[in-house]
Amino acid sequence: MGQKRTMYEKIWDNHVVVRGEGGKPDILYIDLHLVHEVTSPQAFEGLRLSGRKVRRPDLTFATMDHNVPTKDRHNIEDPISRQQIETLRRNCKEFGIKLFDLFSPEQGIVHVLGPELGLTQPGKTIVCGDSHTSTHGAFGALAFGIGTSEVEHVLATQCLQQYKSKTMEVRFVGKRPPGVTAKDMILGLIAKYGTDFATGYVIEYTGEPIRELSMEERMTICNMSIEAGARAGMVAPDEKTFEWLRGRPYAPKGADFDRAVEYWKSIVTDEGAVFDRVVELDVSTLKPQVTWGTSPGMGADIDSVVPDPDSFPTENERKAARRALEYMGLKPGTPMSEIEIDYVFIGSCTNGRLNDLRAAARVVKGYKVHPRVTAIVVPGSRTVKEQAEKEGLDKIFIEAGFEWRDAGCSMCLGMNPDILKPGQRCASTSNRNFEGRQGRGGRTHLVSPEMAAAAAIMGRFYDVRKWEFKTEVTA
Amino acid sequence: MQPFVRETGIVAPMDRVNVDTDAIVPKQFLKRIERSGFGQFLFYDWRFDENGNPNPDFVLNQPRYKGATILLARANFGCGSSREHAPWAILDYGFRCVIAPSFADIFYNNCFKNGILPVTLSEEQVDELFRRTFAREGYRLTVDLEAKTVTDDDGLRFEFEVDDFRRECLLKGLDDIGLTLQHEAAIAAFEARRVAW
Ligand code: SF4
């Protein structure tokens, strides 16, 4: 070798089982396979039909998140949801897979639970039948979403046939202003470059602003890589990463941990390695973001206005913007801060971690939710929920008039009973504002947890940089 | 998997950019545990109104596109969720081929696993196909995977690129799990040298 390589290339090379020749894909080994109830039933069925086993049940972990009710989880009213959950239970039992079941204290959104348990580690290849698997890249893992056929493929072989992606460096520069969060960094990036600028690429996020982020914030950024079209998003592991992992249930222990750290340090991008494309974003000019349309790239600064469709350069973009404004019930020129909302959702694998809840609680403390607004907080996992309750965050939310729910995907995609009614407008900390994503006819605006909290209080979007914090929350 | 060699059929135009998999199959239909029967849910929220009645304006409900087997689409088709229910629905509805200027990665990959051919053409070529599809009722294309061409009866001929390996798997309808399992010895050798803490 001797060549300079990027982190992506190193992890890739370390996992090649068979090099594909003559245009064939490489066969890559998978270190960790996460499974959930929605994209796995047909994969297990496929195994059964062909008489195959799960090759490495010890590298496979399952949980239930998409369908679970966040109110009374003993009682899954929808019979089809119940069947999906029971099917996963049966499949895990039959094939010997560890399942974090509905009532296990660790249950949660698959991308919150993996890191929390220390399953997610630098240098690993991680897959899951879910596009936001990119979240795990925050640890310097190569993590990407796969379809159900590939879920079956990994179950049967612990490998995947893969073509290499191109590499892209997304370099953040400048100093991040107060009130501007990791969510604003990623929303700002996608608003600037579009929802497919990274199609065919794996992104590595670099620069001082990334190094300064906590692990949770790095996860928020990597999580939404898929909204830029990327196969995966990664951040090089550093001391923060190692400290975060130390002592976690599935992290290496004792001398193994030290050996692991040595290995983890070896996988970072070599000085002088070349990326296929480099994109830069100056965070010092960023402002809190609010999306106005039905694609995550349709974003604007809080102090700006809903754009005029005619201002877009191509006919396809103008058409898309017109259609989006019609669906969203918005007029060009309306100040973002005058858009009134009905619903607030704080949660999801993008922003449902402890630090997100802390940040939102800090805004909420001492205020009441606007009378028009229904506001819910759905912790990303039961572990997050328990820790938040230890810190008394639940009380702050409840006193303000929020509903404090149990863990799951909830309103991020509304497969459980938590959905918007047609025409309702929601400030959401999730990752997708597609038509109907949170319920048919529902209107989703993507924001940071701080912005969602402020919107819940004001009943409209509000520039959180101007927020008057009533009291400091001691966390 | 059903092989794909050549397909001649009516073209249905989906004239929007960034059609996401939530739109292709809304989440309320992801709860089935089978692979089949998703065609009835394809583009559900666009195809049907709140009461489940067909929306006459929606393109697939127009009689002229009945029986279409080729879906013509815009950039970034299939973005969003990794749900394989999206290609399952497209196939079950009767489409064998999707043509677009670009596709989202996971969706593109999922198509090949299900006997659907995603064809990438340039923006200009796709524009031309939209023009012709709108201009004439019953407009048909032939997509030939062996020759890697898209042709019509009026002499239009576009060539497209596709990975040789994917092409071969699709032409023969190969099961790629079986292909990987042929490398059992290499997998076992990798597992023996793999570091695990
Ligand atoms: S929280 Fe939303 S984006 Fe994340 S895994 Fe659940 S449904 Fe998918």
Side-chain angles (χ1 to χ4, degrees), chain A residues 29 78 148-149 413 436 440, chain B residues 27 31 34 48 84 109 191:
Chain A
Y29 201 79
D78 176 2
T148 298
S149 296
L413 90 167
R440 187 176 177 137
Chain B
K27 73 237 151 204
K31 294 176 184 173
E34 305 85 32
F48 301 101
E84 202 160 314
N109 201 26
E191 284 177 329

Side-chain angles (χ1 to χ4, degrees), chain A residues 25 29 31 42 55 78 84 148-150 152-153 161 319 323 413 415 432 435-437 440, chain B residues 15-16 22 27 30-32 34-35 45-46 48 80-81 84 109-110 165 176 180 184 191 194:
Chain A
Y29 201 79
D31 293 317
Q42 294 86 351
R55 183 181 182 94
D78 176 2
Q84 222 170 41
T148 298
S149 296
E150 288 177 312
E152 183 181 340
H153 194 285
Q161 300 178 1
K319 259 200 254 173
R323 195 190 290 281
L413 90 167
M415 270 187 85
R432 287 187 178 140
E435 282 184 26
R437 172 82 178 178
R440 187 176 177 137
Chain B
D15 192 10
R16 309 183 177 204
D22 278 82
K27 73 237 151 204
L30 304 187
K31 294 176 184 173
R32 298 166 69 93
E34 305 85 32
R35 270 174 209 256
D45 287 355
W46 294 341
F48 301 101
S81 142
E84 202 160 314
N109 201 26
N110 280 342
F165 176 73
D176 61 353
T180 300
E184 171 57 36
E191 284 177 329
R194 180 177 166 264

Side-chain angles (χ1 to χ4, degrees), chain B residues 92-109:
Chain B
D92 193 55
Y93 185 87
F95 291 113
R96 292 300 318 277
C97 173
V98 187
I99 301 175
S102 61
F103 294 91
D105 273 347
I106 304 178
F107 177 84
Y108 185 78
N109 201 26

Side-chain angles (χ1 to χ4, degrees), chain A residues 41 61 74 117 150 165 191 228 285 353 362 461:
Chain A
F61 294 84
H74 290 271
L117 293 175
E150 288 177 312
S165 302
T285 58
R353 296 184 186 78
R362 216 177 134 244
F461 291 110

